[in-house]
Amino acid sequence: MIGTGVVDGIAIQKTFVFVTKPGETGASVPLGMKEEQVRFAEAVCLSKSQLEKIVDKIKRDAGEEAAGILEYQLLILEDDDFLGKIRGGIEAGRGSEAAVRATCAEYAEFFRHVDNDYLKQRYIDILDIQKRLLDALNGRADITALGREVIVAASDLTPSQVAGMESAWVKGILLENGGASSHSIILARSLSIPCIIGLNGLMDSLHGDETVIMDGTTGEVLVEPSDEQARCYREKRAAHERDKARLRDYIKREPVTLDGRRIGVYANISSAAETAPLLAHGGEGVGLLRTELLYMNFEEAPSRETQYGVYAGIAKALGGRPLVVRTLDVGGDKHIGYLGIEPEENPFLGYRAIRYCLDHPALFREQIAAILMAADAGDIRVMFPMIATVDELLRAREIVEDVKRELAARDVPFREIPIGMMVEVPSVALMAETFARYVDFFSVGTNDLTQYLFAADRNNKKVARLNNSFHPVLLRCVEHVCTAARARGIEVEICGQAGEAPELIPLWVAMGVSGLSVSIPTLPLVRKIVCETDTARAKRDLEAVLVMESAEDVARYLREKTQENQAAEQESGRD
Ligand code: PEP
Ligand code: MG
């Protein structure tokens, strides 16, 4: 089987087939009754199959008797009274989660008060079942329960599903669908989990537990490989690890081009837990903190104090290095149930990011206040996502000013901070000179900018061919943004995935970007490429590619140039 490799790395492991469909997850607003019935039925199936596997494993490892404890949970999941009560709740108009919680509460209450020690323990089983059912409804793979390393195979995964995974167990991800710049893949990349997407027929050909080799560079998947194939890939994996180890030299070396230009190399993160790894990989700060994950981890919007703690904590750990906090970019493929955004026909063109925040000023103000207050702890900057018009930018800025007035009136300490915006909507790229008047910096989101330039959903594999950041139109847009920014004296960084594409890095340098914000695992490679860049040569290449007609032409040209340069370097090394 072959798909598109989107995160490098080779994994050889048994599969875990994850069946919950992402479209049906995380719904805290009840869907229609029929849909809720189907969701619940599937959650029961998934929970049963998970339990059956665990029971089998316990039987193998510890004998029949030990497995008896969990067999009781299996019986409950087949019990007509238990299931009937939940189904009744759904028929009465409740969402599946609410119906599960109500019935489990009733059962747990009964067992808790029963006058029999043996039955009393069933109380814990009910809580366990409740958790398993809710996890299944929310699409969380219960990989911890498997207690082993796996390659996860799924039709698709939502960002919260990837975030909810026990990453130490997940050695690889195979998706039938998926998009290279989807947020699920972005998260997997930051966790260094090899990924392949666009694997047609994947879910029909895997049942779980088969041994698979996957190569995240080439997109190859081998099911039940021969011993010889496994040996061959183990060697390849060892070579890959050696290459990565060689890059470690660049972690300490300053990212300065051959002609002496200093380029900032920052990391994209979505949680405080990534601060230490980013520093260990040579990150000079955070160029993009995606705050959505923080919101996803809570049952309701985190308070300003909670957010303050997170932002200040990261800033402190960065020890004075910059931290760009992007305000909430909800919507698109990032669903946060409790915010109540209704399902949309075209979520990437819909109620997303700043559009939502401007309509919900109370929520937005809490985040802005937390960012301003945390600025005392380090070099914090704020950045607005998905700005499409000057009016949106000015309204967002006005809210920042208003929050400052509120904090000052209440004697709450805060700091003035730079205000920037993402350039990820074509309207902004085209009018960059106007927007540059109102911000302190730009950060180019090439993931969205590419999808919007080509009107091609970044998560849709059928149009993935169009989403190509080597296309001259994207390069022309970014070049235009850099020229406009230079004229106003403001800085530009790239924080979309194209910022870490090795062949494109010299072009960004030639355009005059001040920094690149990339996924943590690629930091050493990006530093290396900056060190090897000759700006004058990159400018000649830029001039050549800007007038080309297609992404393929650009890619071919850059590949040939790289080969020529490598040959010339080898030649001069021999002299
Ligand atoms: C982008 O669009 O390029 C970007 C960095 O933001 P996100 O991927 O979170 O949409
Ligand atoms: Mg974006």
Side-chain angles (χ1 to χ4, degrees):
M1 218 180 313
I2 185 128
T4 308
V6 286
V7 184
D8 281 357
I10 291 170
I12 307 177
Q13 216 37 270
K14 295 262 186 199
T15 56
F16 172 74
V17 175
F18 181 52
V19 287
T20 306
K21 295 177 194 71
E24 296 163 359
T25 63
S28 60
V29 178
L31 304 168
M33 188 176 73
K34 278 262 163 323
E35 284 103 323
E36 289 292 351
Q37 283 170 335
V38 172
R39 281 183 74 219
F40 175 61
E42 289 195 357
V44 172
C45 269
L46 178 62
S47 302
K48 274 169 65 179
S49 85
Q50 286 172 350
L51 273 172
E52 276 159 4
K53 281 185 187 155
I54 299 169
V55 167
D56 282 350
K57 187 172 183 305
I58 297 177
K59 276 186 185 160
R60 274 198 311 274
D61 297 349
E64 293 276 338
E65 209 176 317
I69 304 165
L70 283 182
E71 275 175 336
Y72 172 77
Q73 293 194 13
L74 268 173
L75 286 178
I76 283 274
L77 282 176
E78 286 165 359
D79 184 86
D80 285 341
D81 182 62
F82 178 77
L83 297 178
K85 283 206 159 104
I86 298 177
R87 288 193 194 111
I90 293 172
E91 274 159 30
R94 282 184 165 157
S96 300
E97 285 88 348
V100 165
R101 280 201 188 94
T103 301
C104 287
E106 192 185 313
Y107 269 62
E109 212 39 32
F110 169 77
F111 284 124
R112 208 148 67 96
H113 294 108
V114 84
D115 193 16
N116 172 321
D117 279 349
Y118 173 75
L119 283 180
K120 245 195 178 82
Q121 289 169 22
R122 300 283 83 94
Y123 163 72
I124 302 292
D125 285 311
I126 296 294
L127 294 187
D128 212 20
I129 285 173
Q130 169 173 300
K131 178 176 183 318
R132 188 171 295 284
L133 282 171
L134 292 178
D135 279 353
L137 282 166
N138 285 297
R140 284 185 201 280
D142 196 0
I143 285 157
T144 33
L146 288 174
R148 64 187 172 99
E149 296 180 340
V150 291
I151 289 176
V152 174
S155 167
D156 205 347
L157 292 171
T158 62
S160 59
Q161 285 166 348
V162 177
M165 282 178 173
E166 197 56 55
S167 61
W169 296 123
V170 184
K171 296 293 149 194
I173 294 178
L174 303 174
L175 298 182
E176 185 154 329
N177 298 295
S181 61
S182 71
H183 287 94
S184 310
I185 298 301
I186 287 170
L187 276 174
R189 186 171 291 114
S190 70
L191 295 166
S192 289
I193 302 174
C195 285
I196 302 177
I197 59 170
L199 288 157
N200 290 325
L202 176 76
M203 296 306 272
D204 288 335
S205 51
L206 295 181
H207 305 286
D209 249 6
E210 42 285 270
T211 299
V212 155
I213 295 180
M214 61 174 289
D215 183 338
T217 310
T218 61
E220 284 165 302
V221 177
L222 276 67
V223 182
E224 300 296 4
S226 65
D227 289 349
E228 179 53 21
Q229 285 171 320
R231 192 188 57 74
C232 199
Y233 273 88
R234 279 199 191 93
E235 276 174 16
K236 223 171 149 183
R237 185 168 59 186
H240 186 77
E241 293 304 323
R242 281 195 297 275
D243 286 349
K244 262 185 21 197
R246 259 180 240 123
L247 288 174
R248 297 195 65 78
D249 292 348
Y250 288 90
I251 291 177
K252 293 255 150 51
R253 202 160 135 190
E254 251 207 308
V256 176
T257 61
L258 292 172
D259 48 298
R261 274 198 51 211
R262 180 73 166 82
I263 303 292
V265 180
Y266 310 109
N268 294 343
I269 65 168
S270 31
S271 66
E274 290 165 280
T275 317
L278 91 84
L279 292 173
H281 282 76
E284 300 184 286
V286 171
L288 167 61
L289 170 62
R290 289 183 166 98
T291 56
E292 303 76 69
L293 254 286
L294 173 65
Y295 283 72
M296 280 180 193
N297 284 339
F298 288 86
E299 299 284 319
E300 58 185 12
S303 66
R304 77 167 67 173
E305 286 72 26
T306 303
Q307 294 189 59
Y308 163 81
V310 175
Y311 307 146
I314 299 176
K316 268 195 205 122
L318 289 176
R321 297 176 185 87
L323 165 61
V324 179
V325 183
R326 182 175 75 182
T327 59
L328 182 65
D329 185 6
V330 64
D333 58 356
K334 289 174 286 195
H335 180 78
I336 302 177
Y338 59 76
L339 293 183
I341 299 180
E342 288 179 5
E344 296 180 326
E345 289 268 327
N346 293 305
F348 274 116
L349 297 182
Y351 206 32
R352 198 187 149 184
I354 201 73
R355 302 169 184 188
Y356 177 87
C357 287
L358 289 174
D359 278 358
H360 295 82
L363 178 107
F364 192 42
R365 291 174 67 96
E366 290 298 285
Q367 184 170 36
I368 298 291
I371 297 169
L372 290 168
M373 285 154 54
D376 222 16
D379 178 1
I380 289 193
R381 307 161 192 195
V382 65
M383 173 162 81
F384 306 125
M386 283 292 291
I387 294 283
T389 65
V390 172
D391 170 64
E392 284 173 339
L393 174 59
L394 296 183
R395 283 167 60 207
R397 285 203 67 128
E398 181 45 39
I399 289 179
V400 175
E401 292 312 314
D402 204 43
V403 172
K404 283 184 200 165
R405 285 192 285 272
E406 176 214 307
L407 294 175
R410 292 174 40 225
D411 276 339
V412 178
F414 71 92
R415 282 259 174 107
E416 295 289 336
I417 55 175
I419 298 180
M421 62 180 276
M422 301 275 299
V423 177
E424 52 185 347
V425 179
S427 58
V428 174
L430 288 172
M431 269 178 60
E433 39 293 307
T434 309
F435 286 89
R437 283 191 213 137
Y438 303 109
V439 282
D440 300 310
F441 64 94
F442 282 149
S443 188
V444 184
T446 54
N447 305 333
D448 277 317
L449 188 54
T450 313
Q451 77 162 342
Y452 296 132
L453 280 171
F454 293 105
D457 185 336
R458 63 198 258 192
N459 284 9
N460 184 338
K461 73 170 174 182
K462 298 196 189 88
V463 296
R465 191 180 47 80
L466 290 167
N467 261 317
N468 191 330
S469 46
F470 281 67
H471 200 285
V473 75
L474 177 76
L475 303 175
R476 283 193 218 174
C477 268
V478 183
E479 155 79 354
H480 176 79
V481 171
C482 288
T483 309
R486 204 164 29 249
R488 293 294 312 181
I490 68 166
E491 294 193 335
V492 182
E493 283 172 15
I494 311 275
C495 67
Q497 260 168 238
E500 65 186 60
E503 304 85 341
L504 296 179
I505 291 172
L507 301 185
W508 307 133
V509 172
M511 290 178 196
V513 303
S514 59
L516 301 166
S517 192
V518 303
S519 64
I520 294 174
T522 51
L523 283 162
L525 175 64
V526 172
R527 292 176 74 111
K528 173 177 189 277
I529 295 179
V530 168
C531 290
E532 291 170 351
T533 296
D534 168 353
T535 311
R537 188 159 70 193
K539 279 190 173 159
R540 286 195 295 276
D541 291 339
L542 179 63
E543 229 173 88
V545 298
L546 284 180
V547 294
M548 289 184 178
E549 288 185 1
S550 70
E552 291 72 25
D553 288 347
V554 174
R556 196 176 316 108
Y557 174 90
L558 293 176
R559 210 171 29 244
E560 285 168 7
K561 281 285 163 194
T562 309
Q563 283 161 0
E564 273 173 31
N565 294 339
Q566 280 167 353
E569 268 154 33
Q570 274 169 10
E571 193 60 34
S572 69
R574 267 199 291 275
D575 291 344

